[in-house]
Amino acid sequence: MSAASSETPTGKMPILLAVCLAALVLPLSFSGGAVATPAIGGDLGGGPTALNWITNAFMLTFGSSLMAAGALADQFGRKRLFMIGIIAFAILSLALSVAPSILVLDILRAGQGFAAAAALAGGTAALAQEFEGRARTRAFSLLGTTFGVGLAFGPLLAGVLIAAFDWRAIFLSGTIIGLLSLLLTARRMRESRDPDATGLDHAGALTFTAMLGLFTYGVIEAPEIGWSHPVVVAALLGAATMLVAFVLVETRSERPMLDLSLFRYPRFVGVQVLPVATCYCYVVLLVLLPLRFIGVAGLGEVDAGLLLVALSAPMLAMPLVASSLVRWLPAGVLSGAGLSAAAIGLFWLGRADPASSGIDVILPMLLIGIGTGLPWGLMDGLSVSVVPKERAGMATGIFSTTRVAGEGVALAIVNAVLAALAKARLAAVPPRHGWDVSQAAQRLAMGDVRGASALLPGLTESEIHESYAVAFRHLSIVLIAITVVSALVILVLLGRRDPQAEDADENGFSGRGPARSSEIQTAIGSDGIV
């Protein structure tokens, strides 16, 4: 046994702290970017499409490269990839803090997503090699708690930074935290590799990334230029072509990036529905609500961040509640009940006055957070327990991809739907000379009431608020429908206990010794915003 492996857990605390620091900055990159969007738009300008890419560019590259990053970590070294990722993240964060235009900022955000995937995949895989047994479980529990803290208080921290300095301070904080993480790992973390690693599935990675990129681009551009525009049609057809190519590549590959044969297990299919449901009843709200609170309700960034704590704070406690309740109730029943509660919260929130910032929005957000917290706390463990143990690593890889990529796609779709609903509502008002309803609808979907008013001269502020309220109410119905259907599917596929799940090791690695990078990407919430 090497000296490194014989160290006590206490001696490895700096390594754990370093990975936790890296993990802490990921929720800030996601939710902080959403809180900063109005301030960025006011400073750098840019239309709704360009502002949408502030969040979507990060999520797109993060989600599409996480699986590939895990394979690279196994082949070239977990510590090496973690350090490369955290250095790149710190440098890109510094560049973002001085970005001169919205175009440059969007491009840098895409690069930041790649860096975040490398840091997360390398860091969590390295952590799994440093700790064993119960120490490993405690380490990953602390890491999961770190994500929860970042999720719950990221918007508030972003608001404080914007109020005290400006939006550039959010990205500069990423540089500072990244450097601290780097200092803690440079000499203490040991290098490790998988001797059986076969390298990256280049064809699979390329077709998958192209599919996500083309689809997201088409959906984001459609509200501005129209769904029938040749650019949008070409992008969506290209995405469909890349999807077919990806399936063909993966089914013919000896070592595919994603083993699609796992979808033959009904319970595994049910697990993939869980992150889809939480995307539409919870994750999209982390982006939509800051825009609503700041742009429509007229709150400052700090007040908006405080309000969002009601939505995200339950994530600190509900996963623990779920892990206790699952001893008596099947995971599918708990998840279905939680999603049903979240659907009620969405109905409640959809009928609240968009200008309200009090108990009328706090209570429904609390209900949504509590309800979503039940499946959120169970789905990572389920991802490895519903398939044979020898296939647990690939199962978590597929779940990881479904979760992270699904969030980026959900954000693009929901933004487009809200813009379309706002346009339909505004189009019902008798048009006046000089109106640009399409642009105004996009502005309104971003919560930019002033921008919408400038494009709709003569329309009162109360009429614009009413248009947003109606559009958001109709959007909530769409989100409720997706959530309820998902809950029913989950009840059917996961409503009964699975004896195999009870045999799975508590750390989610099925008791098979040191885990590969692809096996641990979701053990602590692979999307980085748990």
Side-chain angles (χ1 to χ4, degrees), residues 184-530:
L184 288 169
T185 50
R187 307 182 82 176
R188 292 179 175 87
M189 183 183 287
R190 61 191 174 104
E191 185 60 279
S192 62
R193 295 178 177 83
D194 178 9
D196 299 323
T198 58
L200 179 64
D201 175 12
H202 293 89
L206 288 174
T207 52
F208 184 76
T209 302
M211 183 227 357
L212 280 181
L214 288 169
F215 181 81
T216 304
Y217 177 79
V219 171
I220 289 178
E221 289 290 330
E224 181 172 357
I225 62 179
W227 288 95
S228 60
H229 193 280
V231 171
V232 173
V233 173
L236 296 180
L237 288 177
T241 302
M242 288 297 102
L243 174 60
V244 173
F246 173 72
V247 172
L248 291 176
V249 167
E250 297 304 280
T251 53
R252 297 179 181 180
S253 174
E254 294 183 2
R255 295 294 297 270
M257 182 174 74
L258 296 180
D259 186 353
L260 300 177
S261 66
L262 283 174
F263 285 93
R264 298 172 183 170
Y265 297 93
R267 289 180 62 82
F268 179 75
V269 175
V271 170
Q272 309 315 306
V273 178
L274 285 168
V276 173
T278 56
C279 281
Y280 289 93
C281 70
Y282 176 72
V283 174
V284 296
L285 298 180
L286 294 174
V287 176
L288 291 181
L289 291 183
L291 301 176
R292 168 174 165 165
F293 293 149
I294 296 171
V296 181
L299 298 181
E301 288 84 1
V302 175
D303 291 331
L306 282 170
L307 266 183
L308 282 173
V309 171
L311 178 68
S312 53
M315 289 297 176
L316 294 176
M318 292 311 298
L320 296 177
V321 174
S323 64
S324 298
L325 292 177
V326 79
R327 300 174 184 175
W328 296 282
L329 293 171
V333 173
L334 283 173
S335 298
L339 292 174
S340 299
I344 295 172
L346 284 170
F347 180 83
W348 191 354
L349 182 64
R351 273 137 192 82
D353 183 354
S356 174
S357 59
I359 201 72
D360 290 342
V361 293
I362 291 175
L363 290 179
M365 286 195 298
L366 275 173
L367 183 57
I368 293 169
I370 291 170
T372 309
L374 290 175
W376 198 281
L378 298 173
M379 56 188 180
D380 292 299
L382 285 171
S383 68
V384 296
S385 66
V386 296
V387 297
K389 290 183 178 181
E390 64 273 11
R391 309 193 75 182
M394 181 61 71
T396 57
I398 295 177
F399 176 81
S400 170
T401 303
T402 301
R403 189 180 201 174
V404 186
E407 287 168 359
V409 170
L411 286 172
I413 291 175
V414 169
N415 282 328
V417 170
L418 183 57
L421 292 171
K423 181 179 179 180
R425 174 64 182 179
L426 292 172
V429 179
R432 303 180 188 179
H433 179 69
W435 277 18
D436 188 342
V437 175
S438 295
Q439 282 291 323
Q442 291 183 73
R443 291 284 182 183
L444 199 55
M446 296 290 294
D448 185 2
V449 172
R450 292 183 179 179
S453 298
L455 294 168
L456 303 172
L459 202 62
T460 66
E461 186 172 315
S462 62
E463 289 175 316
I464 292 179
H465 279 203
E466 176 63 19
S467 296
Y468 180 89
V470 172
F472 194 94
R473 188 180 307 132
H474 290 163
L475 174 66
S476 70
I477 295 173
V478 176
L479 300 180
I480 290 167
I482 295 173
T483 304
V484 170
V485 170
S486 299
L488 293 175
V489 172
I490 290 164
L491 280 172
V492 171
L493 298 179
L494 298 173
R496 295 182 180 180
R497 286 192 178 276
D498 182 9
Q500 182 180 359
E502 299 176 359
D503 297 333
D505 184 70
E506 63 178 342
N507 60 11
F509 302 139
S510 302
R512 295 180 294 113
R516 296 185 181 184
S517 300
S518 60
E519 296 175 38
I520 53 82
Q521 286 174 9
T522 58
I524 41 76
S526 59
D527 57 1
I529 53 171
V530 178

Side-chain angles (χ1 to χ4, degrees), residues 3-153:
S5 62
S6 62
E7 291 179 8
T8 64
T10 301
K12 297 179 181 180
M13 284 304 295
I15 299 173
L16 176 58
L17 178 60
V19 179
C20 286
L21 282 173
L24 182 64
V25 79
L26 296 181
L28 185 60
S29 296
F30 175 77
S31 57
V35 173
T37 296
I40 294 173
D43 186 16
L44 300 181
T49 300
L51 293 175
N52 273 331
W53 280 111
I54 295 173
T55 300
N56 282 293
F58 178 83
M59 293 304 299
L60 174 62
T61 54
F62 188 17
S64 63
S65 61
L66 191 58
M67 276 290 293
L72 292 173
D74 286 336
Q75 183 174 11
F76 298 108
R78 284 97 181 211
K79 175 183 177 180
R80 176 180 296 179
L81 194 72
F82 174 73
M83 294 186 68
I84 290 173
I86 203 65
I87 289 172
F89 191 92
I91 293 173
L92 288 168
S93 296
L94 180 62
L96 280 162
S97 70
V98 295
S101 68
I102 192 68
L103 175 61
V104 171
L105 189 141
D106 286 342
I107 293 172
L108 291 173
R109 282 286 278 172
Q112 197 180 39
F114 287 122
L120 183 64
T124 53
L127 201 62
Q129 314 306 315
E130 296 288 347
F131 295 88
E132 297 180 1
R134 298 196 176 197
R136 177 193 283 173
T137 302
R138 287 194 295 270
F140 275 87
S141 295
L142 179 59
L143 192 59
T145 301
T146 303
F147 281 125
V149 170
L151 178 65
F153 299 104

